[in-house]
Amino acid sequence: MHYKQLGKSDLRISEIAFGCMSLGADHAVNARLLHQALDGGINFFDTADLYDKGANEETVGKAFAGMRDKVIIATKVGNQWRPDGSGWDWNPSKNYILQAVEESLRRLQTDYIDLYQLHGGTIDDPIDETIDAFELLRQQGKIRQYGISSIRPNVIREYVKRSNIASVMLQYSLLDRRPEETVLDLLQSQGIGVLARGSLAQGLLAGKAAKPYLGYTSEEVQQAAKAVQSVAGAARPAAEVAVRYTLHHPAVSAAVLGIRTKEQLGEGLQTGKGASLTTTEIKALQHILQANRYEQHR
């Protein structure tokens, strides 16, 4: 497994990160899978208080109880469940963040969170108030670093200008090259790490039947998938090439893969051991389709 510094923070993370959202309800099964990931070299585990109404954090906390110093745990805040459980509302207020972190700490069975992320964000949010909450939590030692999870360039720019974020989690793949236009270079220049999700584009780059995706037609998606398979050849799985494309940009610290099964974990660990794509391979993949661009929130 290869490791990278998360931007200019003090967090050194595996470039394959374990996205915990897909984990099921069986804590024992989850613990075995999470321990196998750790044994395989994955040290970065990403969850959120939103997932399964907090049960996802609980299963991560149970799995790593007594071994907290061996793992880097990231979670998210900002989506507040309604009392009746019918859904959630966006709440990036300082008061809510300070309240929610206590529940996340309890569920995770820890007294600190390595990376606390705002789980969304709009340009109309009380951004300075949100930043104040994260800065206070860092001063209190309840979090080590903070970041945002957002695909909105206008929001990302505001946090770059106004905060000390360590990271931005965003969607990035060969079929979603929107971050390449300006966002990735901006974050790299500021020493802010990128956590890339969606590397496989809902599995479309790893064998799933083609369908329209982010403005691309089914035929174009199929062309991209064929190009990935061509680069992969007989020696590598297509999924490895798709994830390696995501990791090629120097701004990207890790690819966050949703993992639920031993097979998915095995593929992720294999990718973590794999070689980087060559410049020729990257150019061949980029040549297949014109890069898409953000049309909103610019």
Side-chain angles (χ1 to χ4, degrees):
M1 181 65 66
H2 305 286
Y3 298 86
K4 294 180 180 177
Q5 215 68 24
L6 182 62
K8 56 188 176 186
S9 78
D10 59 349
L11 302 177
R12 188 164 179 79
I13 65 174
S14 52
E15 66 177 4
I16 301 300
F18 194 121
C20 299
M21 183 176 69
S22 301
L23 291 173
D26 190 316
H27 292 311
V29 170
N30 294 341
R32 284 196 293 272
L33 194 64
L34 291 166
H35 291 168
Q36 288 168 3
L38 182 61
D39 291 342
I42 293 176
N43 73 347
F44 185 79
F45 299 85
D46 178 78
T47 179
D49 60 2
L50 178 68
Y51 303 157
D52 204 12
K53 298 182 179 179
N56 196 261
E57 286 184 328
E58 288 181 358
T59 204
V60 173
K62 287 177 182 291
F64 293 130
M67 46 196 311
R68 182 66 181 87
D69 60 329
K70 299 183 185 302
V71 295
I72 295 173
I73 294 177
T75 192
K76 309 182 194 76
V77 66
N79 295 290
Q80 183 175 17
W81 280 100
R82 298 176 192 134
D84 63 2
S86 63
W88 62 85
D89 299 301
W90 179 238
N91 189 350
S93 70
K94 181 175 182 178
N95 285 342
Y96 176 65
I97 292 171
L98 297 182
Q99 166 196 329
V101 73
E102 300 299 334
E103 292 302 306
S104 287
L105 290 168
R106 178 185 60 80
R107 288 189 291 260
L108 290 165
Q109 299 187 37
T110 183
D111 55 5
Y112 70 94
I113 293 164
D114 295 293
L115 179 67
Y116 203 33
Q117 301 159 100
L118 186 67
H119 202 175
T122 76
I123 201 67
D124 298 320
D125 289 344
I127 293 175
D128 288 331
E129 178 183 328
T130 302
I131 294 168
D132 283 346
F134 286 123
E135 288 289 347
L136 177 59
L137 291 174
R138 193 160 70 157
Q139 291 168 16
Q140 294 173 339
K142 293 179 180 178
I143 66 174
R144 291 175 65 187
Q145 302 288 346
Y146 66 94
I148 62 171
S149 176
S150 177
I151 62 169
R152 299 180 173 189
N154 59 352
V155 172
I156 292 170
R157 283 194 298 270
E158 288 305 308
Y159 276 88
V160 169
K161 284 191 295 187
R162 295 154 70 172
S163 78
N164 296 304
I165 55 171
S167 64
V168 173
M169 181 178 286
L170 49 75
Q171 182 170 291
Y172 178 44
S173 73
L174 184 62
L175 285 172
D176 187 358
R177 293 175 56 195
R178 295 176 296 177
E180 291 179 359
E181 183 187 355
T182 59
V183 172
L184 293 181
D185 289 344
L186 169 64
L187 295 175
Q188 184 190 2
S189 72
Q190 299 300 310
I192 297 168
V194 172
L195 301 169
R197 58 179 178 82
S199 304
L200 302 180
Q202 299 178 357
L204 296 172
L205 295 172
K208 282 197 175 180
K211 66 176 182 179
Y213 185 79
L214 291 179
Y216 293 121
T217 65
S218 295
E219 291 75 16
E220 289 172 324
V221 168
Q222 190 171 30
Q223 288 174 11
K226 284 182 177 178
V228 168
Q229 186 59 64
S230 177
V231 169
R236 293 180 288 186
E240 179 180 330
V241 171
V243 174
R244 280 284 155 203
Y245 178 80
T246 299
L247 289 167
H248 89 272
H249 196 287
V252 178
S253 301
V256 182
L257 305 183
I259 296 173
R260 187 187 182 100
T261 66
K262 287 183 179 180
E263 291 72 25
Q264 291 171 340
L265 175 58
E267 291 171 358
L269 292 175
Q270 180 176 340
T271 299
K273 297 174 184 175
S276 301
L277 298 183
T278 65
T279 302
T280 300
E281 289 171 333
I282 293 165
K283 288 182 177 179
L285 292 171
Q286 292 177 334
H287 181 70
I288 297 301
L289 298 175
Q290 182 174 348
N292 41 14
R293 301 175 65 183
Y294 289 118
E295 295 180 1
Q296 298 177 317
H297 313 295
R298 296 183 61 85

